Structures are given as C-alpha cells and as structure tokens.
Amino acid sequence: MFKKFAADALGISDVGVIVGPADYNKVDADDYLFSEDGEQIFFLIKSKMDEYCFTNLALIHVDGDSAVSSKRTIKRYEYASHQISGVSIETAGTLDMDIELKFALDETRFSIDVKKSFIEQLKDVYKALITIGKQQRRDAVCRKHALQALEATTSVHKLNIAPEGGTLTTQFNALLDALNTAVLDTHTKRDFSDVFTKYIHN
C-alpha cells in the first residue's frame, strides 16, 4: 500500500483516466480506426503507457513498453472473433486511489486501473461489455445449430449427386457457399453500436 502511495505521489503509477469524446482525435488509437467501415470510438481509457479504445467493432489496445518510451504496439481484438468473458469491476477501498476493470478476450486477460473518480463511467462500459459477451454467446449457439443443420442438408443432397459432377453439382456447391455465408452473417454480430449507445453516457 505504501509503495502504491509513493508511486502516485511521484507520478509514476499507470492509473488511467477516461477520455471524453471531445478529445478522441488527440489519442493514438484514433489513427487506427477503420473509419471507412463506419468504426467509431465509444469509450476510451488512457494511462501513461496504454490506451484501451472500445469501438463499435473492436477493442484497440495501444500497448506501451513504458511511460518514458515512445514505442507502442497496436493490438486489435475484433468482437466478431474474440469472445468477451469474466467482466468485473474491483471497487476502491477507503485508502485506494483507483478502481480496476477486468475482462478477457478469449485467452487474453485485461486488468485496467482507473482513477476512482471515474467509477460511474466505468460502470457504463462494464454493462456494455457484459451485454456484448451475452450476445456473442447467443450468436455462437445459433451459429453452431445452423451449421449442424447445414451439414445435415449437405449430406442429404450429396446422396442425389452423381460422382461425375456436372451442372447439378456446381449449382449445389454455389448454393452451399451462399447458405454458409448467410449463416455466418446472420449469427456473427460485428457492429455493437446499439449496445454502446444504450449504456455509454459521455
């Protein structure tokens, strides 16, 4: 605890702050948005070393080596392919200066310290992340069931296709590809603008 106080007093701790929309264009993460695809920032935590940028499509982590180095690694985690789980907030004790947001994207775990004065804003992103995780799990179940049905349909149709192939085979394969694409598009949500808009109150 005393080391933590010393770090805060010396300004060397890596406790983050919530950056407001008016300053989004001043952060590093803004340069890595796929704005051409409609990507936009909904929530951003910035510390001396790192930025955690929550967009409608992904988490962009601007990972710094140290507070005194300008070297940064840009890591991107698409919600369409990385499952959110284990979302929690560790609130501050009487003497603590910060609160902690914890969550995982597949096997990658995040633990982000934020100044405790931002607790209300952190509650917003906590709700958004939990909601996205629920939607991802629903999508995964629906996608699994749809693919199983697609495989069963494929097996039935293959029984009626001659080994030599031909027009029927070509048409069937094209239909199969279209159905597979439709399943993935329907049951893999990529844009969570609606979730962030519902819960984030900047």
Side-chain angles (χ1 to χ4, degrees):
M1 180 63 71
F2 292 109
K3 288 182 179 179
K4 186 174 181 181
F5 275 131
D8 287 332
L10 293 171
I12 57 176
S13 64
D14 198 40
V15 178
V17 298
I18 308 300
V19 177
D23 295 317
Y24 285 164
N25 62 340
K26 300 175 185 176
V27 299
D28 292 333
D30 183 63
D31 295 331
Y32 300 96
L33 292 176
F34 283 85
S35 53
E36 301 85 352
D37 298 328
E39 185 172 28
Q40 56 184 309
I41 300 172
F42 279 89
F43 196 84
L44 196 141
I45 301 171
K46 181 176 179 61
S47 67
K48 288 184 176 67
M49 293 193 296
D50 298 289
E51 290 176 7
Y52 302 91
C53 176
F54 299 87
T55 79
N56 50 319
L57 304 179
L59 167 66
I60 301 172
H61 179 199
V62 181
D63 190 356
D65 285 347
S66 69
V68 296
S69 171
S70 61
K71 183 177 179 181
R72 298 289 184 266
T73 301
I74 312 303
K75 302 175 182 177
R76 184 179 177 87
Y77 302 88
E78 298 276 351
Y79 305 135
S81 52
H82 294 279
Q83 171 70 50
I84 294 174
S85 64
V87 183
S88 67
I89 288 180
E90 186 176 302
T91 60
T94 305
L95 299 178
D96 291 330
M97 303 297 291
D98 59 273
I99 50 183
E100 197 170 359
L101 174 66
K102 298 180 179 181
F103 61 94
L105 285 162
D106 292 338
E107 301 304 316
T108 304
R109 300 202 60 81
F110 293 87
S111 183
I112 308 171
D113 292 324
V114 180
K115 288 184 178 180
K116 67 178 181 180
S117 58
F118 292 102
I119 181 64
E120 294 304 320
Q121 294 97 315
L122 213 61
K123 289 177 184 177
D124 293 340
V125 78
Y126 165 84
K127 293 176 184 178
L129 292 176
I130 285 181
T131 302
I132 291 172
K134 288 179 180 178
Q135 180 66 54
Q136 288 175 322
R137 287 188 288 275
R138 285 196 295 268
D139 286 349
V141 171
C142 292
R143 187 167 60 248
K144 179 181 177 181
H145 291 167
L147 288 173
Q148 288 174 341
L150 188 60
E151 288 174 2
T153 303
T154 302
S155 299
V156 171
H157 281 280
K158 279 183 177 179
L159 295 175
N160 298 318
I161 296 177
E164 63 272 13
T167 304
L168 182 59
T169 302
T170 303
Q171 291 177 348
F172 173 71
N173 286 337
L175 176 62
L176 190 60
D177 288 340
L179 287 171
N180 192 44
T181 300
V183 166
L184 292 175
D185 286 345
T186 302
H187 300 296
T188 303
K189 187 168 183 177
R190 296 171 175 82
D191 190 325
F192 286 94
S193 298
D194 57 335
V195 174
F196 284 110
T197 300
K198 180 178 180 179
Y199 291 110
I200 303 298
H201 306 98
N202 286 313

